[in-house]
Amino acid sequence: MASHSSLWLLAFALLPWSCASWALGHLDPPLPLVLWHGMGDSCCNPLSMGAIKKMVEEKIPGIYVLSLEIGKTLAEDVENSFFLNVNSQVSTVCQTLAKDPKLKQGYNAMGFSQGGQFLRAVAQRCPLPPMNNLISFGGQHQGIFGLPRCPGEHSYICDLIRKTLNVGAYSKVIQERLVQAEYWHDPIKEDTYRNHSIFLADINQERGVSESYKKNLMALKKFVMVKFLNDSIVDPVDSEWFGFYRSGQDKETIPLQETTLYIQDRLGLKEMDKAGKLVFLAAEGDHLQLSEEWFDAHIIPFLK
Ligand SMILES: *[C@@H]1O[C@H](CO)[C@@H](O)[C@H](O)[C@H]1NC(C)=O
Ligand SMILES: *[C@@H]1O[C@H](CO)[C@@H](O)[C@H](O)[C@H]1NC(C)=O
């Protein structure tokens, strides 16, 4: 008998602690995870989001992972990442999350590339269900000013988008129909950006301070920003850590802490920084290139 019970103990000791406690009913099941893919990608591509979903499910037994599909088919999902108004994408996602009974107690969120700033908009606009940790992989929190390369096989779309952005990113028609225009940030024409950007200027409180955006963002436990040191897609790469070009030119960049957004604390980022809620991670490699070892060491702890 005695040897039996010690075998049981050993078996539990081999399970990760939280998992064993969950099995014994001492802890809640792991917090669900919501993923939002990047430009030109879809919810369920087996080489990108599909693989990440599967990997997380293997590492955190029992976790519920929802990879957001924007549209009714995978093709629509990809197309919408270029051409569906971000504000309507965000409100659709907010409804999806609110309707999902598995997310009632809250969730962690991981956004990939533009999905990073889109999920931040979800955190700021839709406090229920509550987002616990937000992890942004190469998200462009101060926008982009340039489109040097496009991921995947969409280079013809990219050429078209690049031309359109250069001609009239801030025209009303383009703002409402082109996703990348909605986070286009021209540092030389800050005034035009501030007045006409329908998405990024809004969530970054460029036109005035919404206390609810601030309060909701500050409700996050951690806001983790992963920057890719060898990123050849995002311009400027500093945007991945919420930095940007110093206003009035497009050569010199400044970190978040030197931006007026931070100094005036329009979004609560300064307060979050002082409270240790902002986590700045750097990964070697090109845009969204992460090894499983790096993910295990740096990301998994925020999901448990
Ligand atoms: C931006 O809006 C302000 C206030 O309405 C106005 O004074 C300014 O001329 C506008 N600038 C541009 C470039 O749209
Ligand atoms: C990536 O960038 C870092 C920092 O800029 C540099 O030290 C490193 O050599 C680069 N690695 C590769 C593989 O290019």
Side-chain angles (χ1 to χ4, degrees), residues 235-257:
D235 183 13
V237 180
D238 311 68
S239 189
E240 298 180 4
W241 275 0
F242 233 126
F244 204 62
Y245 291 115
R246 190 187 288 286
S247 262
Q249 50 87 56
D250 64 355
K251 302 282 180 289
E252 187 202 349
T253 57
I254 52 173
L256 169 65
Q257 288 77 3

Side-chain angles (χ1 to χ4, degrees), residues 191-192 195-196:
D191 219 29
T192 312
N195 288 8
H196 301 289

Side-chain angles (χ1 to χ4, degrees), residues 4-300:
H4 251 107
S5 64
S6 61
L7 263 182
W8 263 108
L9 279 174
L10 187 61
F12 273 115
L14 288 172
L15 287 169
W17 178 81
S18 60
C19 177
S21 314
W22 175 42
L24 291 169
H26 291 166
L27 267 186
D28 294 330
L31 211 54
L33 175 64
V34 172
L35 312 179
W36 196 331
H37 63 77
M39 171 174 83
D41 201 1
S42 73
C43 63
C44 310
N45 183 339
L47 297 176
S48 62
M49 294 305 107
I52 289 181
K53 178 174 190 286
K54 197 162 152 234
M55 179 175 80
V56 171
E57 286 166 346
E58 280 164 7
K59 291 179 196 297
I60 308 178
I63 193 170
Y64 168 59
V65 182
L66 171 67
S67 184
L68 293 165
E69 181 178 26
I70 315 296
K72 292 190 191 69
T73 62
L74 295 191
E76 236 181 83
D77 194 8
V78 172
E79 192 184 315
N80 286 339
S81 76
F82 295 106
F83 303 117
L84 181 63
N85 186 316
V86 182
N87 291 325
S88 57
Q89 295 195 42
V90 168
S91 68
T92 305
V93 164
C94 286
Q95 287 167 23
T96 305
L97 302 184
K99 273 194 306 215
D100 190 330
K102 297 196 195 80
L103 301 178
K104 258 212 179 83
Q105 307 303 319
Y107 64 97
N108 291 313
M110 295 200 317
F112 297 82
S113 200
Q114 66 185 18
Q117 61 265 32
F118 298 173
L119 279 170
R120 177 162 63 84
V122 170
Q124 291 175 208
R125 291 177 183 169
C126 310
L128 290 175
M131 192 187 288
N132 184 62
N133 293 328
L134 170 60
I135 304 165
S136 155
F137 294 93
Q140 301 102 44
H141 294 282
Q142 280 284 7
I144 55 166
F145 188 51
L147 202 64
R149 256 172 16 85
C150 252
E153 293 151 13
H154 306 279
S155 57
Y156 65 98
I157 299 184
C158 279
D159 287 339
L160 189 74
I161 292 176
R162 198 176 293 117
K163 279 184 197 136
T164 310
L165 290 171
N166 288 326
V167 174
Y170 297 119
S171 90
K172 192 162 189 290
V173 176
I174 293 172
Q175 279 291 310
E176 280 168 7
R177 287 175 180 74
L178 180 59
V179 166
Q180 288 70 37
E182 295 163 28
Y183 56 85
W184 187 257
H185 184 169
D186 186 336
I188 298 162
K189 299 183 201 144
E190 290 280 3
D191 219 29
T192 312
Y193 157 70
R194 187 175 302 118
N195 288 8
H196 301 289
S197 159
I198 63 167
F199 173 71
L200 193 69
D202 176 72
I203 63 165
N204 284 359
Q205 311 262 52
E206 300 283 2
R207 290 190 282 263
V209 176
S210 145
E211 287 302 326
S212 67
Y213 276 9
K214 194 169 168 177
K215 180 173 133 245
N216 294 341
L217 190 66
M218 288 171 66
L220 289 173
K221 293 234 168 49
K222 298 278 182 193
F223 176 18
V224 181
M225 286 173 268
V226 180
K227 174 167 97 171
F228 294 88
L229 294 174
N230 313 91
D231 200 311
S232 63
I233 288 176
V234 171
D235 183 13
V237 180
D238 311 68
S239 189
E240 298 180 4
W241 275 0
F242 233 126
F244 204 62
Y245 291 115
R246 190 187 288 286
S247 262
Q249 50 87 56
D250 64 355
K251 302 282 180 289
E252 187 202 349
T253 57
I254 52 173
L256 169 65
Q257 288 77 3
E258 289 176 33
T259 63
T260 54
L261 176 66
Y262 183 94
I263 294 164
Q264 300 170 345
D265 211 16
R266 299 198 301 266
L267 212 41
L269 290 165
K270 186 173 170 182
E271 202 170 324
M272 290 176 79
D273 199 15
K274 303 280 179 251
K277 288 185 166 197
L278 300 186
V279 180
F280 300 92
L281 299 178
E284 221 171 280
D286 203 343
H287 196 56
L288 302 185
Q289 301 302 305
L290 277 182
S291 71
E292 190 170 337
E293 292 70 35
W294 195 92
F295 189 88
D296 286 351
H298 298 96
I299 303 301
I300 288 290

